[in-house]
Each structure stands twice: as C-alpha cells, then as structure tokens.
C-alpha cells in the first residue's frame, strides 16, 4: 500500500470530548502506511466572510487549507449539537469549500463518524455534515457510517471497547481504499 495521509477534523472543541477520543483512537490504530493528521485549530477560524477570503486570509484559514491540500482523504469525527452540525465544523466546511469549484478537498474521499448522546448517536449531524461536505467538494463515502450513542461506552474511553476499535479501524482502512 502506498503511503496515505488522512486529515482528521473534530467537531468538538471540548478537551475531553468522546469525539476527540475517537479521533485519537483512529490516529493510534491507523493501518500501516496511513498517517492521520488532526487539525486542532478549528476554534481559531474566524466566521467565514468572503471579504477576508483573499490572499490576506487569516493564518488559521491558510493552515486549514494547506492541511487539506496535503491530505489524500478526510475523516470527520463529530458530535451532534441540537440535532445538527456543531457551528465550528460548519464554519470549517465553509472555509474549505473555497475557492468555489476548486477546494483543497475537491474529489478526495471523506467519511463522517462520531458519537453523541441519544439513541441515534448523532445520525442527524452526520447526515447534515455529509450533505454540506458533499456540496463543498469532497467525495463523501456514504457507506462509511459510524454513529455511536455515547452512553454505550459507559463512561469508558472508546479504546476500551473492542467493537468500537475494530469498527473505527475498518472505516479508516476502507476510506484509504477509496483514494484514487
């Protein structure tokens, strides 16, 4: 297998977020030849504003776009806030959707996974995230879905659940297989 790089975006800014733990687990258990690079600066991005989206764009925006440009694929790990996408993630999608028609993630495979309270584990947010990214340019891989009701972890780190570890590793492997 050729070396591959996967950009990891986490839709929660909370330090002890289960979704951050899932992202860490994905990094730790990545298949051989696959590097997962987390971009941990979503909280630094200003709200998208076309007036500042030019050669003088903020450094955090340039860093996000450069990380996306280096990546071969993207893994988005997100909770659900009030039945939808966390604002910080939607803002990142907006920045990554530009320049229109030629974004840094254009045609690259992308998967959305995560955990949230409730019996559906964030399904609505994941659906909305896939929809928004699908419009923004990446090639969303629909069958790589993992929505985990956070209470099923019983307060433990996701790495303590063998099924979660196996499922996440499988998703990353299948995402990398989509790199073309």
């Amino acid at each position: 297998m050729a070396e591959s790089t996967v950009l990891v975006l986490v839709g929660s800014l909370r330090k002890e977020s289960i979704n951050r733990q899932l992202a860490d687990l994905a990094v730790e258990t990545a298949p051989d030849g696959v590097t997962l690079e987390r971009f941990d600066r979503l909280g630094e991005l200003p709200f998208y504003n076309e007036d500042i989206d030019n050669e003088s764009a903020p450094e955090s925006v340039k860093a996000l776009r450069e990380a996306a440009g280096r990546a071969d694929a993207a893994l988005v790990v997100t909770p659900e806030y009030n039945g939808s996408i966390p604002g910080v993630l939607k803002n990142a999608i907006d920045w990554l959707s530009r320049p229109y028609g030629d974004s840094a993630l254009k045609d690259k495979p992308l998967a959305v996974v995560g955990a949230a309270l409730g019996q559906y584990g964030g399904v609505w947010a994941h659906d909305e995230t896939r929809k928004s990214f699908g419009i923004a340019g990446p090639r969303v891989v629909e069958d790589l879905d993992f929505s985990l009701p956070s209470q099923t972890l019983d307060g433990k780190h996701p790495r303590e659940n063998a099924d979660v570890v196996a499922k996440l590793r499988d998703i990353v492997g299948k995402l990398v297989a989509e790199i073309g």
Side-chain angles (χ1 to χ4, degrees), residues 6-10 20-21 23-24 27 36-40:
V6 177
L7 173 67
V8 180
L9 301 175
V10 180
R20 189 164 297 286
Q21 292 173 6
D24 290 343
V27 171
L36 276 74
E37 292 184 5
R38 262 194 18 207
F39 185 83
D40 284 330

Side-chain angles (χ1 to χ4, degrees), residues 21-70:
Q21 292 173 6
L22 285 169
D24 290 343
L25 180 59
V27 171
E28 293 167 11
T29 62
D32 291 339
V34 179
T35 301
L36 276 74
E37 292 184 5
R38 262 194 18 207
F39 185 83
D40 284 330
R41 299 178 59 194
L42 296 187
E44 297 175 28
L45 300 173
F47 288 117
Y48 182 78
N49 178 345
E50 194 171 354
D51 289 343
I52 62 171
D53 190 4
N54 52 45
E55 62 280 344
S56 300
E59 188 277 331
S60 57
V61 171
K62 291 177 182 176
L64 173 62
R65 288 176 173 164
E66 288 169 6
R70 286 191 305 272

Side-chain angles (χ1 to χ4, degrees), residues 6-173:
V6 177
L7 173 67
V8 180
L9 301 175
V10 180
S12 174
L13 299 178
R14 193 168 59 87
K15 193 183 285 190
E16 298 302 320
S17 160
I18 290 172
N19 289 284
R20 189 164 297 286
Q21 292 173 6
L22 285 169
D24 290 343
L25 180 59
V27 171
E28 293 167 11
T29 62
D32 291 339
V34 179
T35 301
L36 276 74
E37 292 184 5
R38 262 194 18 207
F39 185 83
D40 284 330
R41 299 178 59 194
L42 296 187
E44 297 175 28
L45 300 173
F47 288 117
Y48 182 78
N49 178 345
E50 194 171 354
D51 289 343
I52 62 171
D53 190 4
N54 52 45
E55 62 280 344
S56 300
E59 188 277 331
S60 57
V61 171
K62 291 177 182 176
L64 173 62
R65 288 176 173 164
E66 288 169 6
R70 286 191 305 272
D72 301 302
L75 177 68
V76 180
V77 187
T78 188
E80 182 172 278
Y81 290 176
N82 299 310
S84 193
I85 304 171
V88 69
L89 181 57
K90 178 60 171 84
N91 189 45
I93 295 169
D94 293 343
W95 281 110
L96 286 170
S97 71
R98 302 292 191 254
Y100 181 76
D102 194 30
S103 70
L105 288 175
K106 184 177 180 178
D107 298 327
K108 295 178 183 181
L110 178 137
V112 179
V113 301
L117 288 173
Q119 66 182 2
Y120 302 113
V123 170
W124 291 340
H126 301 166
D127 287 347
E128 291 293 316
T129 302
R130 282 191 290 275
K131 179 179 120 189
S132 290
F133 264 117
I135 293 167
R139 183 172 45 87
V140 177
V141 184
E142 294 291 340
D143 62 344
L144 297 185
D145 184 26
F146 181 51
S147 298
L148 176 70
S150 57
Q151 61 271 24
T152 62
L153 294 172
D154 198 29
K156 297 177 182 166
H157 193 288
R159 77 170 58 92
E160 296 179 51
N161 184 311
D163 290 337
V164 170
V165 172
K167 180 73 172 172
L168 197 54
R169 184 174 168 83
D170 183 58
I171 285 173
V172 171

Side-chain angles (χ1 to χ4, degrees), residues 1-2 4 6 31 34 36 73 109 144 171-180:
M1 176 193 295
S4 300
V6 177
V34 179
L36 276 74
L144 297 185
I171 285 173
V172 171
K174 288 178 178 175
L175 177 63
V176 171
E178 291 287 328
I179 296 170

